Amino acid sequence: RDVSIESLVQRPGQGEAHGSARILLFTHPAREGDVRSAVNAVDQLRSCVAPTRVFRIESADVAPNGGAV
């Protein structure tokens, strides 16, 4: 999987399982198929208590193939 983490934010879970946390990951530009593959792997982890949600953030500084302009 060719997905590189740009930044990570961890926040305490609210209403989820005891001791859980919400984790927000921002990646460097990546192909959608690679992101989906990584998300599927995370969702298979026993420690994952809720399905992963993905929000695409597009930038004018990134070419459609994921490379820098």
Side-chain angles (χ1 to χ4, degrees), residues 32 35-36 39-40 43 51-57:
E32 185 168 347
V35 172
R36 290 189 184 280
V39 166
N40 287 337
D43 282 344
T52 302
R53 290 183 271 179
V54 176
F55 297 90
R56 182 187 318 202
I57 301 172

Side-chain angles (χ1 to χ4, degrees), residues 56-62:
R56 182 187 318 202
I57 301 172
E58 296 188 12
S59 169
D61 298 337
V62 178

